[in-house]
Amino acid sequence: VQHVRKSNHGKERKEQEYVPASTEDYIMNHFEDLGYNNSYWKNAEGCPIWDEPKKSTQENYDNLQAYLKEIEDYSLTLKNFDKEVPNLVKTMRKEGYTIDQKELCKAARPHPHGIKALFPSNQLSLTAAGYVEPLLTPMRHPKFCETRAVNKEGMRMDYLIHDFEQLCLNLKPSSMAILIDMGASLNFHSTKEPPIVTLLNSFEKFGFHFDHIYGFEITETNPNKVYKDLLPEKYLHSYHWINTGVSAGKEDKLNPLRSIVSQFDKDDLIIVKLDIDTSDIELPLANQLLEDDSINKLVDHFYFEHHVHMKEIAANWNIAMKGSIQDSFELMNGLRNKGVAAHFWV
């Protein structure tokens, strides 16, 4: 179902109601059968549906296997993508009302026929921000199920799918790009590129450059180390290092949903990442995003490492685990139904 909204160019811009892929829909309708409603007393397993048909259905298993091959091909396509995509907002501002926005946004296609052409299995979910990966266990790249290597396949981010063409179509010349990073320890993954930098690079490759990046991190870090050693030079003009923890208090100025997100406009591109390893703060923030329509209408993408009871990652999440896989899927699917493209973070 699509509804119509006017853009600043006088064109019609559409709001898309959420349509989950069939593999995601299967999970949403079979929590008990899959054991995903278990928490506390038993860590549910997220990988068996990838291992054999009898853990779900033959049709669902076949769809998962087809999708797995497609995301591997998609990853290779992105890696080999070498087309120069201009700064999309700057181009819109420069060209003004004379620009053909649809033609401009085609530059952000990873395939000549659009992102959907890379997924003939039809296992993409459709959100207001375009096509995204279906919500699936193990809440990581599915290749993790083959190796169980949390620090290798478990850290792969190329299972995250972004429809950059649609994000471009949602922009206006006045749009700003904003990233709020809650849990912004830039050296957390030591010698590897921080996941948030990988995400930023992905957006930039397809023409999206962030005007403001707000990094909240409770671990005390010398600003000299942050700006001189950890932060890539290209972000110096846009990065705000806020070396304190966030708050879940709805009226607290250290709640970024209140003090930062609410200051922007629905025409801005707003990305929120939440991974602070403290469930008592994370969950109220995530639920506030879900429940407060004055906030969720502003957020385009939300990335959340939800530490629930799942056997494959239990040793790493340890005491941070709270709730069940079902709880996580209901939260993330609920956010997508509110227009927020929610993703499982690493």
Side-chain angles (χ1 to χ4, degrees), residues 168-183:
C168 173
L169 291 169
N170 291 348
L171 294 175
K172 293 183 179 181
S174 60
S175 297
M176 299 183 72
I178 310 298
L179 170 67
I180 298 171
D181 183 4
M182 291 182 268

Side-chain angles (χ1 to χ4, degrees), residues 66-235:
Y67 174 68
L68 175 57
K69 181 182 184 305
E70 289 165 2
I71 57 173
E72 290 289 78
D73 293 341
Y74 169 75
S75 175
L76 188 61
T77 297
L78 292 195
K79 184 177 180 180
N80 294 331
F81 186 86
D82 58 3
K83 184 167 62 174
E84 286 288 333
V85 181
N87 184 316
L88 296 168
V89 169
K90 277 191 176 181
T91 304
M92 289 181 195
R93 290 172 184 166
K94 182 179 179 180
E95 301 295 331
Y97 291 99
T98 64
I99 196 167
D100 186 333
Q101 188 167 343
K102 287 185 178 180
E103 279 302 311
L104 172 66
C105 294
K106 286 180 181 179
R109 289 181 173 182
H111 184 280
H113 300 297
I115 192 170
K116 201 168 185 293
L118 294 169
F119 294 88
S121 69
N122 291 317
Q123 291 308 311
L124 292 182
S125 296
L126 182 58
T127 72
Y131 289 102
V132 294
E133 76 282 357
L135 296 171
L136 301 169
T137 51
M139 301 188 281
R140 287 289 194 280
H141 195 293
K143 280 289 183 180
F144 167 71
C145 287
E146 296 180 9
T147 66
R148 310 298 173 95
V150 174
N151 292 322
K152 291 184 179 180
E153 281 75 17
M155 292 303 298
R156 285 182 62 175
M157 295 183 59
D158 49 349
Y159 70 97
L160 298 173
I161 294 170
H162 302 92
D163 189 343
F164 292 115
E165 179 183 13
Q166 184 59 52
L167 286 178
C168 173
L169 291 169
N170 291 348
L171 294 175
K172 293 183 179 181
S174 60
S175 297
M176 299 183 72
I178 310 298
L179 170 67
I180 298 171
D181 183 4
M182 291 182 268
S185 180
L186 292 171
N187 62 347
F188 182 79
H189 297 283
S190 61
T191 59
K192 296 181 180 179
E193 179 179 79
I196 196 66
V197 174
T198 302
L199 183 70
L200 286 166
N201 286 336
S202 179
F203 271 83
E204 288 171 13
K205 189 172 190 175
F206 287 90
F208 296 85
H209 299 260
F210 287 85
D211 298 285
H212 295 285
I213 304 167
Y214 299 91
F216 287 84
E217 174 53 47
I218 195 171
T219 303
E220 187 173 350
T221 309
N222 189 316
N224 190 56
K225 179 177 177 64
V226 172
Y227 285 101
K228 186 177 180 180
D229 300 332
L230 301 177
L231 189 69
E233 182 179 344
K234 61 183 177 179
Y235 300 124

Side-chain angles (χ1 to χ4, degrees), residues 12 21-22 28 31 42 46 48 56 102 128 136 152 163 181 198 200 236 253 272-273 300 308 314:
E12 294 183 339
S22 68
M28 294 299 300
F31 290 128
K42 181 181 179 182
S56 57
K102 287 185 178 180
L136 301 169
K152 291 184 179 180
D163 189 343
D181 183 4
T198 302
L200 286 166
L236 279 174
K253 68 180 180 181
V272 177
K273 184 221 105 182
D300 295 279
V308 295

